[in-house]
Amino acid sequence: MSQVFALVGFFEIVLVLFMQWEIYTRKIITTFSVASYVVAAFLLYLGVSKDLPYVVALSIITAVVRGFFIPWYMKRCIVRDQWREREIKPVISTAMSIIISLLIVVFAYILYRVTFFNTLHLREGSIPMALLLQGAFLIISRRNAFIQLIGYMTMENALFLFEGYLFPGLPFIIEAGVVLDLIGVIAIAGVVVRMMKDSSSDVNDFDELKG
Amino acid sequence: MKAYVYMLPTIISLAGALLCLVRRVFFEEVVSIIASVSSVFAAFTLLFLPNHFGTFLYVDGFSKIMLLLVSVVYASTVIFSTTYMKYIENPLFEKRFYYLLMNLFAFSMMFTVSVNNFGLMWVGIEATTVTSALLVATENDESSIEATWRYIIVVSVGLIISLLSNIFIYSVSGTLNFGTMLNHGFHVDRILIIGAMMAIIGYGTKAGIFPMHTWLPDVHGRAPAPVSAIFSGILLAVALYVVARVLEIVNVPMVREFAFWLGLLTVLVAAMLMVVQKHYKRLFAYSTMENMGMVLIGLSIGKYAFVGAVVLVISHAFAKSSVFYLSGNILSRYKSKKISDVKAVSKRMPFTGYNLMFSALAVTGTPPFGTFVGELLIIYGVLKYFPTFYAFLIVSFLFLAFVSVNYKVGTMVFSESDDVKVKERKRVGTIVPMVNTILAFLVIFFIPQIQELLSKGMIR
C-alpha cells in the first residue's frame, strides 16, 4: 500500500509542478481535475482493498465533486477575456516559479524529516507536506483569482490523500460536511470572481485596503 | 430534557432564513426580526436548563453564554439593518437575499457553538465563511469585492490548517467527539500537541489572531456597518470558542504558552497599527484584533483569566457592535471613512456622537464597562503565572490602544466645523447602538451569573 501511496503522491507532485509552470487557466483547471481523479482512484483502491465502504463512498464524492463538478463550474465561469484566460502578470515569473516549486519539494522533505517524521514514522509523509506547500505557493505566486482557488483546493486534495491513507476511519459525516463546504466556497468564490471582472482587472489601486 | 429544545435558537434562525425566500414586500425584514428576537428568548431560556451532552450536541454553560450572545447581536444587527440598508445605493443583491444570508450566518455560528464534534465545529466555522462572504460585498464596489476575495482565500487557507489539526487530533484520540475526549481522556503525545497548535493558528485566522489577521481590517473596513458589527462582535468570538474547546482537551503547558504568545503578539501588533490608522472603520477593526488577542491570553491562562476572557467577549460584543453601527450612521451622513473628514459629530449628530465616545471608551477597556473587568481579570492571571514584565508590556500596549482610539474618536466627535446644523433624530439607527452600549456596561452586574454558568452549567 505504501508503494501505491508513494506513486500516487509522486504523480500528484508532478501535476502540481505542471500547474506552477502553466499560465493558461483552463489547462490548470483541467490538471486539477486530473489530480482529483487520481486521488479518487487511490481512495477507491484503498476502500476496496481494505473493505471500507465509507472510503469507497468518499472516492465517489471526490471524483464527482472535485474531479467533475468544480472544474466544470469554474470553466463555465471563465469567459473569453484575455486577463482571465491566462495569467498576464504573475507575481513571480514562470522561470523563477519553476526553481522555487522544485525547491519547495526539497524543503518539504527536509522539514518533514526534522519535524513530523519522528512522531508519524511514515516515510512518504513528506508528499502531502510538499503538496500543501505547493498549493500555498500557487496562491501567493499568482494574481488570477481562479488559479488562487485551484491552489486552495490543491491543499485540500493533499489533506484528503493524507487522511484517506493514514486515517480512513474518520467519520463520514465530517468528510461529507467538508465537501459540502468546499462546494459552498467554490460557488461563492465563482460569484465574487465574476464581480471582480465586472469591476476591475487590476487589484492594486485600493488605498483603503492598505495598512 | 429533549435535545431539540437546546437546538431551538439554531433552528429558529434557519427557519427565518428559509422564510426570507418568500417574495413579499417587507416580509424578509419582519420574519428576520421575529426569528432573531425569538432566538434570543430561546437562548435565554436555556440558561435555566441543565446541561445537555448528547452524541450530536454539547451544550454546557459556555455554549449557552455563546448562544445567547450570538442571538442578541444577531437580533440587534437585523433590527439595525432595517434602517441601514436604505443608505446602500447600489446593493449587490435584493434585500431578501441580504436577510437570508444574515439568518444563515447566525445559524452557522449557533451550530458551531452547540455541536459535540471538532469535525462539525470545523464545518460550522467554514460555513460561516460561505454564508458571510457575500454579505461583505453588499455595497458592490471594487474594494469591497476585493476585500471579500481576500477574506475567502485567507480564511479558507487558515481553515485548511485547522482541518489538518483535526486529522492529528483524530489520529491520537480515535474520535473527534468532544465529550468523549473530555470524559475518557487520552495519552498526550507530540502529534496531539502539534495538532492543538495548528488548531490555534487555523481557528485563530478566523479570529483575527496574528499572523493570519490580514483579512480582518480589509473586511471590517469595507463591509456594511451591520455586517462589520456582527463580524467583530461575535464571529471572531465563535472562532475563539473552538480554540477554547481545543485548550480544554489538550491541557498542556506548551500549547497554552503557544496560545499566550500568539495572543500577546496580537495585542502588540494591533496596538501599534492602531496609531497609524487614517480610516475609522479600520481603526475599530484593529481594536477588535487587540481585544481578541486579550481574549486568547485569557483562554490560555485559564481559571480567573478564563472568566475574564468570557466577560471580555460578552461586553466587547455589545460595545463593538455599537461602535460599528454608529460608524455606519456617520458614514451615511459624512460619506467618508477618513477620520480627518469627519468633524463635529457631537454637534451634527449628537446621539451618535456621544454614544460613539462612550462605546469607544467601552471597547478600550475603560471602567465601568465590562471590558475593564474582563481585562483586569486577565491581567491578574498574567501577573500570577508570568513574570511581571509581561503584565507591564500588555498594560502599556493596552494604554497605547486606548489613547489611539479615544484620541481619534475624540477628534471626530468634539472637533469644530462650519456646518454644525443638527440633522439627527431618534430612530432605530440611534437607539439600537445605545441599547448595546448600555448592555456593555450592565455586564458587570451579571459576573456572578456568568461564573455560575461556567462552573455549574446553569443559573438556579
Side-chain angles (χ1 to χ4, degrees), chain A residues 115-116 139 145 148 152 156 159 167 169-170 174 181 185 195-196 199-200 203 206 208-211, chain B residues 92 117 123 126 142-143 145-146 149-150 156-157 160 164 167-168 170-171 190 218 222 282 286 337:
Chain A
T115 54
F116 294 99
I139 292 170
Q148 289 180 340
Y152 162 67
E156 270 220 333
L159 281 196
F167 317 109
L170 205 66
I174 290 156
D181 271 340
V185 168
M195 291 190 300
M196 281 166 94
S199 313
S200 166
V203 294
F206 297 100
E208 207 190 310
L209 302 183
K210 289 176 184 165
Chain B
L92 180 65
N117 190 299
V123 170
E126 182 73 337
E142 289 176 41
S143 47
I145 291 164
E146 173 63 16
W149 181 248
R150 288 188 192 182
S156 299
V157 169
I160 286 273
L164 188 59
I167 295 172
F168 282 179
Y170 180 80
S171 74
R190 253 178 70 177
D218 294 348
R222 288 307 314 171
R282 281 180 82 84
Y286 281 111
K337 286 178 185 164

